Amino acid sequence: METETLLKVEDLRVEYPGTGWRSAPFRAVDGVSFEIRRGETVGLVGESGSGKSTIGRAVLGLLEPAGGRIEFGGHDVTHRDRATQRQVSRRLQAIFQDPYSSLNPARTVGRTMVEPLEVQGGAARAGAVEKVASLLADVGLPEDSTDRYPPSFSGGQRQRIAIARSLSISPQLIICDEAVSALDLVTRAQVLNLLGDLQRERGFAYLFIAHDLPIVTYVSQRTVVLYRGRIMEQGPARAVHESPLHPYTQMLLAAVPVPDPAVQRVRRARRRATAVSTGTAAQPPAEGCPFAPRCPKVMSRCWTQRPEAVPVGEQVVECHLFGPSNRPAWVPSPVVRP
Ligand code: SF4
């Protein structure tokens, strides 16, 4: 029986092998847990190196987890053999930042898109050409797109091709990994609206990975904020954006430029306060909060004790400011808005 939860990630850990002077494995994702319900969009947000793309690749089966569990459609898919991976990839698709690298420039778009349908065989193969033409029309591409080669399309059009290709096998979940980051503002808005329209029509879910908190808020129902492979805060997208609890989430928001120079000045000052330190102080503690070297509210125990996930209203935050002993004294920082 199908469950309401489509993807369940529990205590996920992913490591990369050590290289050169760093022979110990590097833990890129450390104990991450979240869920995506059917038809929902969950945003993963964080700076470069926060582990968000690594999580996406682990869910896609491109990386082997070092620990934890990934459940998709009610089945444990943490460690997949080839047959399981084939089954999962029929319901799980991805759109990456650079669609050009996944399009063969010497093949027409039609040929590239028909291939996965032919591999499926059966009914998918029989109507493959018509289906591809219809999908390209659905994402707003011109009629002659099937006969054209990738270099003849703009960046935005190539991202539309990637979207059409991800839809060709009727997925239940699409992982969008920085899918609009390389697009100009106008094209980005068009592609985001297209992603929203397609989701409303077809009912699939998105895991939307980006470094830009306002964009993640715009497209997501829930947001998960990551720093150095760990979750700092998660909750309803609007709540996380309007009342960020974790100092790191507040820093991400302060980094977003605003048109008002006075507000921008305050934000810049905040950003300076959380700028990356240099030297040994920039190294996060082995035990404790990874954000400690950058946190303007750091306390002595932040260096030695890992904060636990604490529910605060609808949000869940991992920060000692919200531990039981601090809760009565805690006063939220004012958030400067345009
Ligand atoms: Fe800052 Fe400490 Fe909270 Fe980490 S646990 S974000 S260092 S106050």
Side-chain angles (χ1 to χ4, degrees):
M1 198 179 104
E2 290 196 334
T3 55
E4 184 62 21
T5 300
L6 178 63
L7 177 75
K8 192 171 184 179
V9 173
E10 275 181 326
D11 196 24
L12 180 68
R13 276 163 284 137
V14 183
E15 292 178 350
Y16 292 113
T19 52
W21 56 269
R22 190 170 66 192
S23 53
F26 169 66
R27 185 162 286 187
V29 176
D30 188 8
V32 164
S33 303
F34 66 93
E35 289 184 10
I36 303 181
R37 293 186 281 264
R38 290 179 189 278
E40 183 184 41
T41 300
V42 169
L44 278 188
V45 68
E47 295 166 307
S48 169
S50 60
K52 52 192 190 305
S53 292
T54 301
I55 294 170
R57 292 170 67 80
V59 171
L60 284 165
L62 304 175
L63 288 172
E64 182 75 9
R69 181 180 164 93
I70 301 171
E71 220 174 81
F72 183 64
H75 302 285
D76 184 351
V77 296
T78 317
H79 305 286
R80 292 164 224 186
D81 55 22
R82 283 181 130 187
T84 313
Q85 177 63 3
R86 243 195 328 271
Q87 280 175 359
V88 171
S89 55
R90 287 196 184 131
R91 295 177 291 149
L92 183 56
Q93 286 291 293
I95 304 168
F96 295 103
Q97 180 174 356
D98 177 17
Y100 196 54
S101 60
S102 60
L103 293 170
N104 185 339
R107 274 189 167 184
T108 64
V109 167
R111 191 66 235 144
T112 299
M113 285 189 58
V114 159
E115 220 167 52
L117 295 171
E118 287 182 341
V119 170
Q120 278 187 52
R125 181 177 193 146
V129 174
E130 293 75 17
K131 182 164 186 183
V132 165
S134 150
L135 281 170
L136 290 170
D138 286 352
V139 297
L141 286 168
E143 254 179 47
D144 64 349
S145 298
T146 48
D147 301 325
R148 287 167 53 189
Y149 291 86
S152 72
F153 292 91
S154 68
Q157 285 177 321
R158 286 200 285 260
Q159 204 53 296
R160 286 171 188 266
I161 295 168
I163 294 168
R165 190 168 53 174
S166 73
L167 298 177
S168 64
I169 52 167
S170 305
Q172 294 174 331
L173 173 66
I174 300 179
I175 297 179
C176 299
D177 189 355
E178 300 282 7
V180 296
S181 302
L183 304 176
D184 64 71
L185 285 179
V186 175
T187 313
R188 181 182 296 181
Q190 290 169 347
V191 172
L192 287 176
N193 289 335
L194 172 65
L195 290 172
D197 291 344
L198 292 169
Q199 185 183 44
R200 277 187 290 278
E201 284 165 19
R202 297 164 193 243
F204 47 71
Y206 288 121
L207 176 60
F208 196 90
I209 297 170
H211 60 271
D212 189 312
L213 185 54
I215 286 185
V216 166
T217 306
Y218 178 69
V219 298
S220 308
Q221 277 91 55
R222 285 186 302 125
T223 298
V224 178
V225 182
L226 289 160
Y227 183 72
R228 285 189 174 256
R230 277 158 55 172
I231 293 181
M232 300 289 105
E233 176 170 2
Q234 61 176 307
R238 186 167 284 277
V240 170
H241 187 256
E242 292 187 352
S243 311
L245 299 175
H246 197 284
Y248 176 61
T249 318
Q250 293 172 2
M251 188 210 75
L252 283 183
L253 199 62
V256 178
V258 291
D260 185 328
V263 177
Q264 185 61 17
R265 260 198 304 279
V266 177
R267 288 189 163 203
R268 210 173 289 132
R270 281 219 181 128
R271 215 164 44 241
R272 273 199 296 273
T274 50
V276 185
S277 313
T278 54
T280 52
Q283 293 304 316
E287 302 296 328
C289 173
F291 193 56
R294 300 173 68 184
C295 181
K297 297 173 185 171
V298 64
M299 302 172 279
S300 56
R301 67 177 154 147
C302 302
W303 296 97
T304 54
Q305 289 172 28
R306 179 172 178 162
E308 286 178 15
V310 178
V312 182
E314 291 181 290
Q315 285 145 268
V316 176
V317 61
E318 291 194 21
C319 171
H320 286 308
L321 290 169
F322 300 90
S325 57
N326 282 315
R327 204 174 289 157
W330 173 72
V331 177
S333 308
V335 176
V336 179
R337 306 208 167 279

